[in-house]
Amino acid sequence: MEGIFSPEQVQIDETAETRVTVWNHSALGTVMDCDGHRDINWPMVTRSSLCVFQLLDIDLIAFLDPGIYVNCVPFPLSTLFIDYYDTIQDRRVVSNVAPGYLRKLLPPGPPQEGEKWEDIQKDIESKIMPGLTHWQSPNFMAFYPASATYPSMLGELYSAAFTAPAFNWLCSPAVTELETIVLDWMARLMNLPACFLSEGEGGGVIQGSASEAVVTVMVAARERYLNNACGTLEGEERETKKAEVMGRLVALGSEQSHSSTAKAAIIAGVRYKSIPCRTDDDFALTGAGLQKMLDECKRQKLEPFFLTANLGTTATCATDRFEEIKEVGKDWPEVWIHVDAAYAGGALVCEEYQHLTEPLDAIDSFDINMHKWLLTNFDASCLYVKRRRNLTDALSITPSYLRNDFSDSGLVTDYRDWQIPLGRRFRSLKIWFVLRTYGVDGLKAHIRNHIHLGAQFHAWVLRRADLFRVVAPPAFALTVLAVVPRTAGTPGSDVTGASRPGLSDGLARDNDIPSVADRALAAANAVTKEVYELVNSRGEIFLTSGVVNGVYAIRVVSANPKADEAHLKKAFEILVATAEEVLGASGPESGGLTNGLGGH
């Protein structure tokens, strides 16, 4: 039986046991019976995702998002999830509870006897919700997105049901093999060089985060360097040589690199040096900048062994000059080059960005967080290495209780040797669900929609030059802006053109205004900070600030699955109104959003 339904809510009752309610906010669709299960067929232009599954002996549950849901009444928890996402935009986006709020609401210990689920569930809304910042809200435009979709949630449910620690192939062969397959899918989809595929010497592994990935590859890089430095030495001589070289090792990253590289250096027990980036280079690491630092290390008798390059820096989403870095790297083959593409790497599913991967055959590792921009919930960080042997040589320890014929044969992959922990979750399931549900075209449409929204927001900022100036070129849906003060003079950058060390994580430390000599810049920093803090204190939207080359700036990125033009326009109107309030510029000459945008 088939039936056509309209955008209005439709109730379908075929049996007394199964009642399916359909909400469709975007287009017409067809409901049809498929092998005894309820399925939905949508035109590709309107369908975002569909996932249907049988949960134990409870009724069929299906979710279609965004804005399109199928809810089976017999399982009320699904209704709670749907209601949360349907109303998330109406909640205060950032939590404003005081530290320690939850301890005051909960008893000092667990109950002696188990409680009813209904009572536990009530505490989610009354006690937990007030302490949540709603990352999936269309009013969340801070940091970078942390995506969640129903297909990925279902993958997590299955993973939790199976609960296989999966430290080697034998623990659950499907856990290992699906991970290898979906990471190869992703490598091809992003146009990564063939050297990162599992069919050669390389391959991919799912890590918890990009920070975990950089620690993992830095340890591998350190061990590779030390082993090469020790040559054929053995025993005590080898250990003495290792200790001697360790004291000279230094890891490198640009001043715009995420702080995870500096933290990884601490964990790995090596030094860390940051490479200055200039405003004139759009805050990207250049070959000249890298060469200068390498020469400086050589003069100081230090031995560089690791470099983090960036496809999308944290503060401004800048892309480092990979071709230039590749050329410099030819003279420094011992330096492991890692590319951190945690957020912006998601754009590589689109052909118009795939030229960025052409020089990556010269790097050693690459990492992207699917849980940022690619519709997969946390945690799903995809790490690729050119030579998996570098990881296994550094991280493989096989006590007797982990030995088995399959691992000893060398015919299977044991991902415990590709990571720091021993056990691991079945994270590839949610990636598999997302890739199959959205398809390649769906992922491309998702990314391109956000790129369009980012370009729209940037255009609005440019048309209000009386209030704002763009600090860095817009990139990957991110706009970085500062407020223009009502004072004489034009804000400038510091004389060196280098950003202040340690302030490139996209959030200004303690919201301190940088100490700069330029009075105009100091005035702009002060007023930008005031606008930023006032906007966030009111809780309608959530933004983050950053300091780039001494400039205090506001970052705006709207790239979660519920992002849309209406909420982005509202955010801009809030920024305009707040800037005018702070500047005292409420006169008719200022103009509102519509006037300032030429009636867009």
Side-chain angles (χ1 to χ4, degrees), residues 354-475:
Q354 291 183 351
H355 65 280
L356 296 172
T357 67
E358 293 173 5
L360 300 189
D361 58 337
I363 68 170
D364 297 277
S365 55
F366 174 94
D367 186 75
I368 173 179
N369 287 344
M370 287 194 68
H371 58 249
K372 279 192 167 67
W373 207 1
L374 288 178
L375 300 169
T376 308
N377 65 284
F378 189 85
D379 53 350
S381 188
C382 301
L383 171 65
Y384 293 90
V385 290
K386 182 188 289 187
R387 294 182 181 85
R388 54 183 177 267
R389 178 72 181 271
N390 289 326
L391 285 183
T392 58
D393 283 353
L395 301 173
S396 178
I397 296 178
T398 308
S400 59
Y401 56 83
L402 291 180
R403 298 190 68 88
N404 64 83
D405 292 341
F406 297 103
S407 296
D408 291 345
S409 71
L411 298 178
V412 300
T413 296
D414 286 341
Y415 277 124
R416 64 182 173 82
D417 297 330
W418 295 46
Q419 62 178 24
I420 293 171
L422 175 63
R424 54 205 331 276
R425 299 189 303 110
F426 199 174
R427 289 177 290 208
S428 58
L429 260 183
K430 58 189 175 186
I431 298 176
W432 191 46
F433 282 11
V434 166
L435 291 177
R436 294 184 64 188
T437 301
Y438 286 86
V440 174
D441 289 342
L443 292 180
K444 290 178 181 178
H446 170 73
I447 296 296
R448 286 168 178 158
N449 175 52
H450 291 149
I451 296 293
H452 169 74
L453 289 177
Q456 185 79 296
F457 187 86
H458 176 245
W460 296 340
V461 171
L462 291 180
R463 292 173 187 176
R464 288 309 307 265
D466 58 315
L467 291 176
F468 308 114
R469 73 181 185 94
V470 176
V471 174

Side-chain angles (χ1 to χ4, degrees), residues 153-278:
M153 293 180 206
L154 299 184
E156 287 284 19
L157 283 176
Y158 271 114
S159 178
F162 299 149
T163 305
F167 42 80
N168 61 23
W169 180 87
L170 184 59
C171 286
S172 280
V175 176
T176 295
E177 296 195 10
L178 184 62
E179 184 161 337
T180 301
I181 291 167
V182 298
L183 286 177
D184 278 349
W185 283 9
M186 282 302 303
R188 293 188 178 97
L189 179 55
M190 295 185 293
N191 196 42
L192 292 183
C195 58
F196 293 107
L197 296 173
S198 64
E199 60 197 29
E201 296 181 38
V205 57
I206 302 174
Q207 304 280 344
S209 67
S211 300
E212 184 179 328
V214 75
V215 172
T216 302
V217 294
M218 188 179 290
V219 169
R222 182 194 67 191
E223 292 306 296
R224 184 183 74 172
Y225 190 94
L226 291 174
N227 287 334
N228 290 338
C230 292
T232 59
L233 294 177
E234 296 181 0
E236 191 63 29
E237 282 186 302
R238 186 177 186 86
E239 294 305 311
T240 300
K241 180 67 172 178
K242 273 190 174 184
E244 175 190 335
V245 175
M246 268 285 290
R248 298 193 295 269
L249 292 185
V250 58
L252 305 176
S254 83
E255 285 184 348
Q256 299 300 313
S257 292
H258 190 270
S259 59
S260 57
T261 300
K263 186 172 184 177
I266 294 172
I267 296 171
V270 298
R271 303 187 198 195
Y272 176 73
K273 281 182 171 287
S274 59
I275 306 170
C277 296
R278 302 186 325 128

Side-chain angles (χ1 to χ4, degrees), residues 88-169:
I88 195 171
Q89 68 275 3
D90 301 324
R91 296 177 181 268
R92 179 185 170 91
V93 62
V94 61
S95 174
N96 61 345
V97 299
Y101 91 99
L102 193 55
R103 187 172 293 277
K104 298 175 184 176
L105 300 178
L106 298 182
Q112 192 65 36
E113 296 182 0
E115 300 178 73
K116 293 181 180 179
W117 169 247
E118 290 81 2
D119 295 332
I120 300 171
Q121 187 171 281
K122 290 176 184 176
D123 283 348
I124 294 292
E125 185 64 44
S126 64
K127 296 179 174 60
I128 301 302
M129 283 292 185
L132 293 182
T133 291
H134 302 285
W135 286 64
Q136 306 311 312
S137 170
N139 297 314
F140 183 97
M141 302 173 190
F143 304 106
Y144 285 117
S147 295
T149 56
Y150 291 121
S152 65
M153 293 180 206
L154 299 184
E156 287 284 19
L157 283 176
Y158 271 114
S159 178
F162 299 149
T163 305
F167 42 80
N168 61 23
W169 180 87

Side-chain angles (χ1 to χ4, degrees), residues 4-8 24 26-30 41-43 46:
I4 304 296
F5 56 90
S6 66
E8 290 76 23
N24 170 19
S26 60
L28 298 179
T30 303
N41 184 25
W42 289 89
T46 61

